[in-house]
Amino acid sequence: MKAAPQGTARRAEIVAAAARLFDERGYHATSMDDIAAAVGIKKPTLYHHVQSKTQIVIWIHDELVHDLTDRLEQRVADKLPRAEILLRVMDDILGLLETRPGHLRVYFEHHREIPGEEGRVAREMRDRYTETVRQLIEEGAAAGEFRVENPGLTTFAFFGMCNWAYQWYRPGGPLTHQVIARYFWQIFMSGIATGPEVLEGHADRLDV
Amino acid sequence: MKAAPQGTARRAEIVAAAARLFDERGYHATSMDDIAAAVGIKKPTLYHHVQSKTQIVIWIHDELVHDLTDRLEQRVADKLPRAEILLRVMDDILGLLETRPGHLRVYFEHHREIPGEEGRVAREMRDRYTETVRQLIEEGAAAGEFRVENPGLTTFAFFGMCNWAYQWYRPGGPLTHQVIARYFWQIFMSGIATGPEVLEGHADRLDV
DNA sequence: CAACACCGACCGACCGGACGGTCGTGTCGT
DNA sequence: ACGACACGACCGTCCGGTCGGTCGGTGTTG
């Protein structure tokens, strides 16, 4: 049971500061003292607002996963074209790198640190998100929109493109997340080969 | 009575065990005691073979980056078709998930823990690898093989697909890394859309 | 072939420091 | 006078790393 959303401003501040520090220095290289200092308070005061370090990770994780899930399910409910939903999913994820800096790294690299029941729930939420996209792709294939042999693998390729961005994307660059999302979506939809002749010949023997 | 493996063998054993533990439990959740136990020795003996925990990370990192770089540059020197080199790069990376389990996670998530000069060199090696692929893509574009507006972004999309695999791929599944590499390469080259009509209409207003 | 020096692999016990977390207390605004 | 917010001082633990020493094998020397 959690306290009712009371010190919401402080809490948001703490989550944002922690996520940024975790992103920059790494989770284990960031002490509770560091987080407190970043918010302008001392450690015991930080513990007045927060139960544990793990709880901050859980907050970061939950904020992200709810944000993403809400948007995705709204679009599915609105019955947007499948290809467009995929485009927007990419944009959602890339956009988070600007609106919630640091959150994605925690989400991808530290979700395993959430123990017990809360960890189970957290991982369930991510699976649900992935599964929704997988179904979208599968339905698109059944409808003849997509050429998909293995929906699971295709989903992994899809998420790989945009999820990987947390490793290199930094806000403030020349390209907005909207532009990047559109670009990746184009590749995912149409590929980069100019013609079939580019693909011929080298299909065999990957073993050597 | 059992003949203790000597010198380099021990070192390889340590690197392999450490990488596997780092992958399973996380780097910071794995103590030097754990690593020692996994090799069947005690901590002081481990330190007889190893300078520091950081050094193990460096070893893991270097093994991987040299392995990848050697293969890639050999293929460039052999003047294989560019599309085929890309296919093989994907297969190299996916293959490492089997031949060097755990190494990729350390490579991606903990390279920032290598400090000072050695960290600089390590990061230079990765950049060189990425840059080689980027040039390959750029040349392919100039040669009319690939349709590429932004080679840098295209490279990120390419690596995203295969690098992300360390998050979900587990050896022993129904699909070999060769099959997955081919599959991802197909998507990267040709996309999944069955026709241009799938792409039309939803190109504007990503802002909302 | 003994006596001895040397050496690499090995380990029990220990150190120093960092870090997550707590306690008791003070200080406001209401 | 009460709760929310703040803090200095402190605790227990864990962990990277070290110290001093044992053991067994391998020359080397008379």
PDB file of all heavy atoms in Angstrom, chain C residues 1 7 10 18 24-25 30, chain D residues 1 6-7 13 21 24-25 30:
ATOM      1  P    DC C   1      67.572 -43.481  -6.048  1.00  0.00           P
ATOM      2  OP1  DC C   1      66.456 -42.669  -6.289  1.00  0.00           O
ATOM      3  OP2  DC C   1      67.982 -44.718  -6.466  1.00  0.00           O
ATOM      4  O5'  DC C   1      68.755 -42.468  -5.615  1.00  0.00           O
ATOM      5  C5'  DC C   1      69.682 -42.695  -4.569  1.00  0.00           C
ATOM      6  C4'  DC C   1      69.914 -41.422  -3.806  1.00  0.00           C
ATOM      7  O4'  DC C   1      70.767 -40.511  -4.554  1.00  0.00           O
ATOM      8  C3'  DC C   1      68.626 -40.637  -3.535  1.00  0.00           C
ATOM      9  O3'  DC C   1      68.723 -40.094  -2.215  1.00  0.00           O
ATOM     10  C2'  DC C   1      68.690 -39.488  -4.535  1.00  0.00           C
ATOM     11  C1'  DC C   1      70.186 -39.198  -4.506  1.00  0.00           C
ATOM     12  N1   DC C   1      70.663 -38.409  -5.667  1.00  0.00           N
ATOM     13  C2   DC C   1      71.722 -37.524  -5.449  1.00  0.00           C
ATOM     14  O2   DC C   1      72.227 -37.421  -4.322  1.00  0.00           O
ATOM     15  N3   DC C   1      72.179 -36.767  -6.495  1.00  0.00           N
ATOM     16  C4   DC C   1      71.612 -36.906  -7.703  1.00  0.00           C
ATOM     17  N4   DC C   1      72.108 -36.165  -8.696  1.00  0.00           N
ATOM     18  C5   DC C   1      70.543 -37.815  -7.940  1.00  0.00           C
ATOM     19  C6   DC C   1      70.107 -38.535  -6.902  1.00  0.00           C
ATOM     20  P    DC C   7      62.519 -17.548  -8.080  1.00  0.00           P
ATOM     21  OP1  DC C   7      63.153 -16.797  -9.188  1.00  0.00           O
ATOM     22  OP2  DC C   7      62.219 -16.874  -6.784  1.00  0.00           O
ATOM     23  O5'  DC C   7      61.163 -18.184  -8.620  1.00  0.00           O
ATOM     24  C5'  DC C   7      61.196 -19.348  -9.449  1.00  0.00           C
ATOM     25  C4'  DC C   7      59.790 -19.899  -9.585  1.00  0.00           C
ATOM     26  O4'  DC C   7      59.564 -20.903  -8.566  1.00  0.00           O
ATOM     27  C3'  DC C   7      58.708 -18.833  -9.387  1.00  0.00           C
ATOM     28  O3'  DC C   7      57.696 -18.997 -10.352  1.00  0.00           O
ATOM     29  C2'  DC C   7      58.198 -19.103  -7.982  1.00  0.00           C
ATOM     30  C1'  DC C   7      58.334 -20.629  -7.921  1.00  0.00           C
ATOM     31  N1   DC C   7      58.384 -21.148  -6.529  1.00  0.00           N
ATOM     32  C2   DC C   7      57.745 -22.364  -6.243  1.00  0.00           C
ATOM     33  O2   DC C   7      57.197 -22.986  -7.141  1.00  0.00           O
ATOM     34  N3   DC C   7      57.774 -22.831  -4.963  1.00  0.00           N
ATOM     35  C4   DC C   7      58.392 -22.125  -4.003  1.00  0.00           C
ATOM     36  N4   DC C   7      58.408 -22.616  -2.773  1.00  0.00           N
ATOM     37  C5   DC C   7      59.042 -20.876  -4.289  1.00  0.00           C
ATOM     38  C6   DC C   7      59.010 -20.424  -5.546  1.00  0.00           C
ATOM     39  P    DC C  10      45.110 -22.497  -8.867  1.00  0.00           P
ATOM     40  OP1  DC C  10      44.292 -23.690  -9.188  1.00  0.00           O
ATOM     41  OP2  DC C  10      44.814 -21.200  -9.497  1.00  0.00           O
ATOM     42  O5'  DC C  10      45.092 -22.313  -7.290  1.00  0.00           O
ATOM     43  C5'  DC C  10      45.303 -23.446  -6.457  1.00  0.00           C
ATOM     44  C4'  DC C  10      45.478 -23.017  -5.037  1.00  0.00           C
ATOM     45  O4'  DC C  10      46.623 -22.148  -4.921  1.00  0.00           O
ATOM     46  C3'  DC C  10      44.350 -22.179  -4.430  1.00  0.00           C
ATOM     47  O3'  DC C  10      43.406 -23.027  -3.810  1.00  0.00           O
ATOM     48  C2'  DC C  10      45.062 -21.282  -3.416  1.00  0.00           C
ATOM     49  C1'  DC C  10      46.528 -21.543  -3.648  1.00  0.00           C
ATOM     50  N1   DC C  10      47.372 -20.321  -3.625  1.00  0.00           N
ATOM     51  C2   DC C  10      48.006 -19.941  -2.440  1.00  0.00           C
ATOM     52  O2   DC C  10      47.858 -20.652  -1.432  1.00  0.00           O
ATOM     53  N3   DC C  10      48.762 -18.823  -2.403  1.00  0.00           N
ATOM     54  C4   DC C  10      48.904 -18.086  -3.508  1.00  0.00           C
ATOM     55  N4   DC C  10      49.666 -16.990  -3.427  1.00  0.00           N
ATOM     56  C5   DC C  10      48.276 -18.460  -4.743  1.00  0.00           C
ATOM     57  C6   DC C  10      47.519 -19.571  -4.753  1.00  0.00           C
ATOM     58  P    DA C  18      35.162   6.159   0.637  1.00  0.00           P
ATOM     59  OP1  DA C  18      36.082   6.951  -0.192  1.00  0.00           O
ATOM     60  OP2  DA C  18      34.662   6.695   1.928  1.00  0.00           O
ATOM     61  O5'  DA C  18      33.921   5.735  -0.254  1.00  0.00           O
ATOM     62  C5'  DA C  18      34.018   4.557  -1.045  1.00  0.00           C
ATOM     63  C4'  DA C  18      32.703   3.813  -1.004  1.00  0.00           C
ATOM     64  O4'  DA C  18      32.631   3.000   0.188  1.00  0.00           O
ATOM     65  C3'  DA C  18      31.484   4.741  -0.975  1.00  0.00           C
ATOM     66  O3'  DA C  18      30.589   4.312  -1.978  1.00  0.00           O
ATOM     67  C2'  DA C  18      30.913   4.543   0.428  1.00  0.00           C
ATOM     68  C1'  DA C  18      31.341   3.116   0.739  1.00  0.00           C
ATOM     69  N9   DA C  18      31.443   2.804   2.166  1.00  0.00           N
ATOM     70  C8   DA C  18      32.100   3.522   3.120  1.00  0.00           C
ATOM     71  N7   DA C  18      32.040   2.988   4.326  1.00  0.00           N
ATOM     72  C5   DA C  18      31.291   1.847   4.144  1.00  0.00           C
ATOM     73  C6   DA C  18      30.862   0.837   5.031  1.00  0.00           C
ATOM     74  N6   DA C  18      31.166   0.830   6.334  1.00  0.00           N
ATOM     75  N1   DA C  18      30.121  -0.172   4.515  1.00  0.00           N
ATOM     76  C2   DA C  18      29.828  -0.161   3.209  1.00  0.00           C
ATOM     77  N3   DA C  18      30.181   0.720   2.286  1.00  0.00           N
ATOM     78  C4   DA C  18      30.908   1.711   2.820  1.00  0.00           C
ATOM     79  P    DG C  24      15.370   6.509  18.636  1.00  0.00           P
ATOM     80  OP1  DG C  24      15.374   5.474  19.676  1.00  0.00           O
ATOM     81  OP2  DG C  24      14.107   6.848  17.927  1.00  0.00           O
ATOM     82  O5'  DG C  24      15.969   7.847  19.231  1.00  0.00           O
ATOM     83  C5'  DG C  24      17.356   8.161  19.037  1.00  0.00           C
ATOM     84  C4'  DG C  24      17.521   9.660  19.036  1.00  0.00           C
ATOM     85  O4'  DG C  24      17.492  10.140  17.665  1.00  0.00           O
ATOM     86  C3'  DG C  24      16.422  10.422  19.787  1.00  0.00           C
ATOM     87  O3'  DG C  24      17.023  11.436  20.574  1.00  0.00           O
ATOM     88  C2'  DG C  24      15.544  10.979  18.677  1.00  0.00           C
ATOM     89  C1'  DG C  24      16.535  11.181  17.548  1.00  0.00           C
ATOM     90  N9   DG C  24      15.940  11.061  16.214  1.00  0.00           N
ATOM     91  C8   DG C  24      14.901  10.227  15.839  1.00  0.00           C
ATOM     92  N7   DG C  24      14.579  10.347  14.580  1.00  0.00           N
ATOM     93  C5   DG C  24      15.441  11.321  14.091  1.00  0.00           C
ATOM     94  C6   DG C  24      15.563  11.870  12.792  1.00  0.00           C
ATOM     95  O6   DG C  24      14.905  11.597  11.783  1.00  0.00           O
ATOM     96  N1   DG C  24      16.572  12.827  12.736  1.00  0.00           N
ATOM     97  C2   DG C  24      17.360  13.207  13.795  1.00  0.00           C
ATOM     98  N2   DG C  24      18.280  14.146  13.541  1.00  0.00           N
ATOM     99  N3   DG C  24      17.261  12.701  15.016  1.00  0.00           N
ATOM    100  C4   DG C  24      16.287  11.770  15.091  1.00  0.00           C
ATOM    101  P    DT C  25      16.138  12.500  21.445  1.00  0.00           P
ATOM    102  OP1  DT C  25      16.864  12.748  22.708  1.00  0.00           O
ATOM    103  OP2  DT C  25      14.727  12.047  21.466  1.00  0.00           O
ATOM    104  O5'  DT C  25      16.238  13.801  20.556  1.00  0.00           O
ATOM    105  C5'  DT C  25      17.504  14.180  20.009  1.00  0.00           C
ATOM    106  C4'  DT C  25      17.320  15.317  19.038  1.00  0.00           C
ATOM    107  O4'  DT C  25      16.769  14.830  17.793  1.00  0.00           O
ATOM    108  C3'  DT C  25      16.370  16.426  19.509  1.00  0.00           C
ATOM    109  O3'  DT C  25      17.078  17.646  19.576  1.00  0.00           O
ATOM    110  C2'  DT C  25      15.267  16.448  18.461  1.00  0.00           C
ATOM    111  C1'  DT C  25      15.960  15.838  17.258  1.00  0.00           C
ATOM    112  N1   DT C  25      15.044  15.224  16.266  1.00  0.00           N
ATOM    113  C2   DT C  25      15.068  15.675  14.969  1.00  0.00           C
ATOM    114  O2   DT C  25      15.809  16.549  14.584  1.00  0.00           O
ATOM    115  N3   DT C  25      14.181  15.039  14.127  1.00  0.00           N
ATOM    116  C4   DT C  25      13.284  14.038  14.459  1.00  0.00           C
ATOM    117  O4   DT C  25      12.532  13.545  13.625  1.00  0.00           O
ATOM    118  C5   DT C  25      13.310  13.613  15.830  1.00  0.00           C
ATOM    119  C7   DT C  25      12.389  12.529  16.300  1.00  0.00           C
ATOM    120  C6   DT C  25      14.179  14.218  16.677  1.00  0.00           C
ATOM    121  P    DT C  30       0.852  28.452   6.352  1.00  0.00           P
ATOM    122  OP1  DT C  30       0.471  28.192   4.938  1.00  0.00           O
ATOM    123  OP2  DT C  30       1.009  29.838   6.857  1.00  0.00           O
ATOM    124  O5'  DT C  30      -0.165  27.695   7.303  1.00  0.00           O
ATOM    125  C5'  DT C  30      -0.276  26.266   7.218  1.00  0.00           C
ATOM    126  C4'  DT C  30      -1.093  25.744   8.387  1.00  0.00           C
ATOM    127  O4'  DT C  30      -0.287  25.731   9.593  1.00  0.00           O
ATOM    128  C3'  DT C  30      -2.333  26.574   8.713  1.00  0.00           C
ATOM    129  O3'  DT C  30      -3.479  25.724   8.760  1.00  0.00           O
ATOM    130  C2'  DT C  30      -2.052  27.161  10.091  1.00  0.00           C
ATOM    131  C1'  DT C  30      -1.129  26.101  10.671  1.00  0.00           C
ATOM    132  N1   DT C  30      -0.257  26.555  11.787  1.00  0.00           N
ATOM    133  C2   DT C  30      -0.203  25.770  12.927  1.00  0.00           C
ATOM    134  O2   DT C  30      -0.809  24.736  13.042  1.00  0.00           O
ATOM    135  N3   DT C  30       0.636  26.259  13.908  1.00  0.00           N
ATOM    136  C4   DT C  30       1.383  27.420  13.878  1.00  0.00           C
ATOM    137  O4   DT C  30       2.080  27.753  14.826  1.00  0.00           O
ATOM    138  C5   DT C  30       1.266  28.191  12.668  1.00  0.00           C
ATOM    139  C7   DT C  30       2.019  29.462  12.528  1.00  0.00           C
ATOM    140  C6   DT C  30       0.451  27.726  11.685  1.00  0.00           C
TER     141       DT C  30
ATOM    142  P    DA D   1      -0.113  21.897  23.943  1.00  0.00           P
ATOM    143  OP1  DA D   1      -0.387  23.125  24.600  1.00  0.00           O
ATOM    144  OP2  DA D   1       0.099  20.657  24.513  1.00  0.00           O
ATOM    145  O5'  DA D   1      -0.850  21.966  22.508  1.00  0.00           O
ATOM    146  C5'  DA D   1      -1.725  20.960  22.084  1.00  0.00           C
ATOM    147  C4'  DA D   1      -1.195  20.408  20.772  1.00  0.00           C
ATOM    148  O4'  DA D   1      -0.739  21.518  19.947  1.00  0.00           O
ATOM    149  C3'  DA D   1       0.044  19.506  20.927  1.00  0.00           C
ATOM    150  O3'  DA D   1       0.007  18.560  19.902  1.00  0.00           O
ATOM    151  C2'  DA D   1       1.188  20.462  20.689  1.00  0.00           C
ATOM    152  C1'  DA D   1       0.591  21.251  19.541  1.00  0.00           C
ATOM    153  N9   DA D   1       1.250  22.514  19.237  1.00  0.00           N
ATOM    154  C8   DA D   1       2.149  23.204  20.005  1.00  0.00           C
ATOM    155  N7   DA D   1       2.571  24.314  19.455  1.00  0.00           N
ATOM    156  C5   DA D   1       1.896  24.362  18.247  1.00  0.00           C
ATOM    157  C6   DA D   1       1.916  25.283  17.196  1.00  0.00           C
ATOM    158  N6   DA D   1       2.639  26.385  17.209  1.00  0.00           N
ATOM    159  N1   DA D   1       1.115  25.016  16.133  1.00  0.00           N
ATOM    160  C2   DA D   1       0.370  23.910  16.145  1.00  0.00           C
ATOM    161  N3   DA D   1       0.285  22.975  17.076  1.00  0.00           N
ATOM    162  C4   DA D   1       1.078  23.255  18.107  1.00  0.00           C
ATOM    163  P    DA D   6      11.961  19.221   2.654  1.00  0.00           P
ATOM    164  OP1  DA D   6      12.319  20.346   1.763  1.00  0.00           O
ATOM    165  OP2  DA D   6      11.727  17.867   2.114  1.00  0.00           O
ATOM    166  O5'  DA D   6      13.063  19.146   3.788  1.00  0.00           O
ATOM    167  C5'  DA D   6      13.589  20.358   4.292  1.00  0.00           C
ATOM    168  C4'  DA D   6      14.330  20.108   5.573  1.00  0.00           C
ATOM    169  O4'  DA D   6      13.514  19.304   6.450  1.00  0.00           O
ATOM    170  C3'  DA D   6      15.599  19.265   5.435  1.00  0.00           C
ATOM    171  O3'  DA D   6      16.715  20.111   5.213  1.00  0.00           O
ATOM    172  C2'  DA D   6      15.705  18.558   6.794  1.00  0.00           C
ATOM    173  C1'  DA D   6      14.367  18.812   7.450  1.00  0.00           C
ATOM    174  N9   DA D   6      13.785  17.600   8.010  1.00  0.00           N
ATOM    175  C8   DA D   6      12.950  16.724   7.391  1.00  0.00           C
ATOM    176  N7   DA D   6      12.574  15.715   8.156  1.00  0.00           N
ATOM    177  C5   DA D   6      13.220  15.949   9.355  1.00  0.00           C
ATOM    178  C6   DA D   6      13.243  15.253  10.583  1.00  0.00           C
ATOM    179  N6   DA D   6      12.570  14.119  10.784  1.00  0.00           N
ATOM    180  N1   DA D   6      13.987  15.766  11.570  1.00  0.00           N
ATOM    181  C2   DA D   6      14.669  16.905  11.360  1.00  0.00           C
ATOM    182  N3   DA D   6      14.710  17.648  10.262  1.00  0.00           N
ATOM    183  C4   DA D   6      13.968  17.117   9.290  1.00  0.00           C
ATOM    184  P    DC D   7      18.005  19.522   4.574  1.00  0.00           P
ATOM    185  OP1  DC D   7      18.780  20.664   4.061  1.00  0.00           O
ATOM    186  OP2  DC D   7      17.639  18.395   3.698  1.00  0.00           O
ATOM    187  O5'  DC D   7      18.764  18.943   5.847  1.00  0.00           O
ATOM    188  C5'  DC D   7      19.160  19.847   6.875  1.00  0.00           C
ATOM    189  C4'  DC D   7      19.570  19.052   8.097  1.00  0.00           C
ATOM    190  O4'  DC D   7      18.492  18.187   8.493  1.00  0.00           O
ATOM    191  C3'  DC D   7      20.772  18.135   7.873  1.00  0.00           C
ATOM    192  O3'  DC D   7      21.855  18.651   8.620  1.00  0.00           O
ATOM    193  C2'  DC D   7      20.329  16.772   8.402  1.00  0.00           C
ATOM    194  C1'  DC D   7      19.068  17.102   9.188  1.00  0.00           C
ATOM    195  N1   DC D   7      18.065  15.999   9.223  1.00  0.00           N
ATOM    196  C2   DC D   7      17.893  15.272  10.409  1.00  0.00           C
ATOM    197  O2   DC D   7      18.568  15.559  11.406  1.00  0.00           O
ATOM    198  N3   DC D   7      16.986  14.269  10.435  1.00  0.00           N
ATOM    199  C4   DC D   7      16.263  13.988   9.348  1.00  0.00           C
ATOM    200  N4   DC D   7      15.371  13.008   9.427  1.00  0.00           N
ATOM    201  C5   DC D   7      16.431  14.724   8.133  1.00  0.00           C
ATOM    202  C6   DC D   7      17.339  15.709   8.110  1.00  0.00           C
ATOM    203  P    DT D  13      24.875  -6.958  10.416  1.00  0.00           P
ATOM    204  OP1  DT D  13      23.831  -7.967  10.662  1.00  0.00           O
ATOM    205  OP2  DT D  13      26.195  -7.017  11.102  1.00  0.00           O
ATOM    206  O5'  DT D  13      25.136  -6.892   8.842  1.00  0.00           O
ATOM    207  C5'  DT D  13      24.272  -6.089   8.034  1.00  0.00           C
ATOM    208  C4'  DT D  13      24.880  -5.898   6.664  1.00  0.00           C
ATOM    209  O4'  DT D  13      25.710  -4.697   6.654  1.00  0.00           O
ATOM    210  C3'  DT D  13      25.786  -7.045   6.211  1.00  0.00           C
ATOM    211  O3'  DT D  13      25.404  -7.391   4.909  1.00  0.00           O
ATOM    212  C2'  DT D  13      27.181  -6.432   6.267  1.00  0.00           C
ATOM    213  C1'  DT D  13      26.891  -4.980   5.944  1.00  0.00           C
ATOM    214  N1   DT D  13      27.925  -4.010   6.390  1.00  0.00           N
ATOM    215  C2   DT D  13      28.332  -3.003   5.531  1.00  0.00           C
ATOM    216  O2   DT D  13      27.885  -2.873   4.417  1.00  0.00           O
ATOM    217  N3   DT D  13      29.275  -2.165   6.043  1.00  0.00           N
ATOM    218  C4   DT D  13      29.855  -2.224   7.307  1.00  0.00           C
ATOM    219  O4   DT D  13      30.699  -1.412   7.663  1.00  0.00           O
ATOM    220  C5   DT D  13      29.379  -3.295   8.153  1.00  0.00           C
ATOM    221  C7   DT D  13      29.943  -3.454   9.529  1.00  0.00           C
ATOM    222  C6   DT D  13      28.450  -4.134   7.663  1.00  0.00           C
ATOM    223  P    DG D  21      54.366 -14.490   7.770  1.00  0.00           P
ATOM    224  OP1  DG D  21      54.607 -14.565   9.223  1.00  0.00           O
ATOM    225  OP2  DG D  21      55.421 -13.997   6.860  1.00  0.00           O
ATOM    226  O5'  DG D  21      53.918 -15.924   7.277  1.00  0.00           O
ATOM    227  C5'  DG D  21      52.695 -16.466   7.806  1.00  0.00           C
ATOM    228  C4'  DG D  21      52.153 -17.491   6.841  1.00  0.00           C
ATOM    229  O4'  DG D  21      51.743 -16.857   5.614  1.00  0.00           O
ATOM    230  C3'  DG D  21      53.157 -18.579   6.431  1.00  0.00           C
ATOM    231  O3'  DG D  21      52.786 -19.821   6.979  1.00  0.00           O
ATOM    232  C2'  DG D  21      53.101 -18.594   4.931  1.00  0.00           C
ATOM    233  C1'  DG D  21      51.825 -17.840   4.608  1.00  0.00           C
ATOM    234  N9   DG D  21      51.874 -17.222   3.294  1.00  0.00           N
ATOM    235  C8   DG D  21      52.652 -16.176   2.877  1.00  0.00           C
ATOM    236  N7   DG D  21      52.490 -15.872   1.617  1.00  0.00           N
ATOM    237  C5   DG D  21      51.544 -16.787   1.173  1.00  0.00           C
ATOM    238  C6   DG D  21      50.972 -16.957  -0.094  1.00  0.00           C
ATOM    239  O6   DG D  21      51.182 -16.322  -1.123  1.00  0.00           O
ATOM    240  N1   DG D  21      50.051 -18.006  -0.110  1.00  0.00           N
ATOM    241  C2   DG D  21      49.740 -18.790   0.974  1.00  0.00           C
ATOM    242  N2   DG D  21      48.840 -19.753   0.778  1.00  0.00           N
ATOM    243  N3   DG D  21      50.262 -18.639   2.179  1.00  0.00           N
ATOM    244  C4   DG D  21      51.155 -17.627   2.203  1.00  0.00           C
ATOM    245  P    DG D  24      51.253 -31.008  -0.141  1.00  0.00           P
ATOM    246  OP1  DG D  24      50.111 -31.918   0.029  1.00  0.00           O
ATOM    247  OP2  DG D  24      52.461 -31.135   0.726  1.00  0.00           O
ATOM    248  O5'  DG D  24      51.725 -31.070  -1.662  1.00  0.00           O
ATOM    249  C5'  DG D  24      50.820 -30.700  -2.691  1.00  0.00           C
ATOM    250  C4'  DG D  24      51.598 -30.363  -3.944  1.00  0.00           C
ATOM    251  O4'  DG D  24      52.343 -29.130  -3.738  1.00  0.00           O
ATOM    252  C3'  DG D  24      52.622 -31.419  -4.361  1.00  0.00           C
ATOM    253  O3'  DG D  24      52.529 -31.622  -5.757  1.00  0.00           O
ATOM    254  C2'  DG D  24      53.963 -30.796  -3.976  1.00  0.00           C
ATOM    255  C1'  DG D  24      53.675 -29.321  -4.196  1.00  0.00           C
ATOM    256  N9   DG D  24      54.523 -28.414  -3.444  1.00  0.00           N
ATOM    257  C8   DG D  24      54.879 -28.511  -2.120  1.00  0.00           C
ATOM    258  N7   DG D  24      55.659 -27.538  -1.718  1.00  0.00           N
ATOM    259  C5   DG D  24      55.815 -26.748  -2.850  1.00  0.00           C
ATOM    260  C6   DG D  24      56.553 -25.553  -3.024  1.00  0.00           C
ATOM    261  O6   DG D  24      57.224 -24.941  -2.190  1.00  0.00           O
ATOM    262  N1   DG D  24      56.450 -25.071  -4.337  1.00  0.00           N
ATOM    263  C2   DG D  24      55.730 -25.671  -5.330  1.00  0.00           C
ATOM    264  N2   DG D  24      55.743 -25.072  -6.520  1.00  0.00           N
ATOM    265  N3   DG D  24      55.029 -26.802  -5.178  1.00  0.00           N
ATOM    266  C4   DG D  24      55.128 -27.274  -3.917  1.00  0.00           C
ATOM    267  P    DG D  25      53.163 -32.912  -6.411  1.00  0.00           P
ATOM    268  OP1  DG D  25      52.039 -33.665  -6.991  1.00  0.00           O
ATOM    269  OP2  DG D  25      54.086 -33.549  -5.441  1.00  0.00           O
ATOM    270  O5'  DG D  25      54.016 -32.288  -7.605  1.00  0.00           O
ATOM    271  C5'  DG D  25      53.413 -31.310  -8.445  1.00  0.00           C
ATOM    272  C4'  DG D  25      54.485 -30.432  -9.052  1.00  0.00           C
ATOM    273  O4'  DG D  25      55.072 -29.598  -8.008  1.00  0.00           O
ATOM    274  C3'  DG D  25      55.651 -31.209  -9.684  1.00  0.00           C
ATOM    275  O3'  DG D  25      55.930 -30.660 -10.951  1.00  0.00           O
ATOM    276  C2'  DG D  25      56.808 -30.990  -8.704  1.00  0.00           C
ATOM    277  C1'  DG D  25      56.480 -29.611  -8.158  1.00  0.00           C
ATOM    278  N9   DG D  25      57.064 -29.305  -6.855  1.00  0.00           N
ATOM    279  C8   DG D  25      56.910 -30.002  -5.686  1.00  0.00           C
ATOM    280  N7   DG D  25      57.567 -29.479  -4.680  1.00  0.00           N
ATOM    281  C5   DG D  25      58.187 -28.362  -5.220  1.00  0.00           C
ATOM    282  C6   DG D  25      59.025 -27.403  -4.612  1.00  0.00           C
ATOM    283  O6   DG D  25      59.407 -27.339  -3.444  1.00  0.00           O
ATOM    284  N1   DG D  25      59.446 -26.432  -5.526  1.00  0.00           N
ATOM    285  C2   DG D  25      59.081 -26.393  -6.860  1.00  0.00           C
ATOM    286  N2   DG D  25      59.569 -25.399  -7.585  1.00  0.00           N
ATOM    287  N3   DG D  25      58.298 -27.295  -7.440  1.00  0.00           N
ATOM    288  C4   DG D  25      57.879 -28.237  -6.561  1.00  0.00           C
ATOM    289  P    DG D  30      78.115 -26.966  -6.216  1.00  0.00           P
ATOM    290  OP1  DG D  30      78.566 -25.798  -5.445  1.00  0.00           O
ATOM    291  OP2  DG D  30      78.494 -27.123  -7.629  1.00  0.00           O
ATOM    292  O5'  DG D  30      78.520 -28.294  -5.444  1.00  0.00           O
ATOM    293  C5'  DG D  30      78.736 -28.291  -4.034  1.00  0.00           C
ATOM    294  C4'  DG D  30      78.428 -29.675  -3.495  1.00  0.00           C
ATOM    295  O4'  DG D  30      77.292 -30.223  -4.182  1.00  0.00           O
ATOM    296  C3'  DG D  30      79.563 -30.678  -3.702  1.00  0.00           C
ATOM    297  O3'  DG D  30      80.255 -30.904  -2.467  1.00  0.00           O
ATOM    298  C2'  DG D  30      78.880 -31.983  -4.154  1.00  0.00           C
ATOM    299  C1'  DG D  30      77.410 -31.625  -4.191  1.00  0.00           C
ATOM    300  N9   DG D  30      76.732 -32.102  -5.405  1.00  0.00           N
ATOM    301  C8   DG D  30      76.919 -31.653  -6.685  1.00  0.00           C
ATOM    302  N7   DG D  30      76.155 -32.281  -7.555  1.00  0.00           N
ATOM    303  C5   DG D  30      75.455 -33.198  -6.796  1.00  0.00           C
ATOM    304  C6   DG D  30      74.497 -34.156  -7.191  1.00  0.00           C
ATOM    305  O6   DG D  30      74.052 -34.386  -8.324  1.00  0.00           O
ATOM    306  N1   DG D  30      74.028 -34.884  -6.095  1.00  0.00           N
ATOM    307  C2   DG D  30      74.431 -34.710  -4.791  1.00  0.00           C
ATOM    308  N2   DG D  30      73.877 -35.497  -3.889  1.00  0.00           N
ATOM    309  N3   DG D  30      75.325 -33.815  -4.423  1.00  0.00           N
ATOM    310  C4   DG D  30      75.791 -33.100  -5.470  1.00  0.00           C
TER     311       DG D  30
END
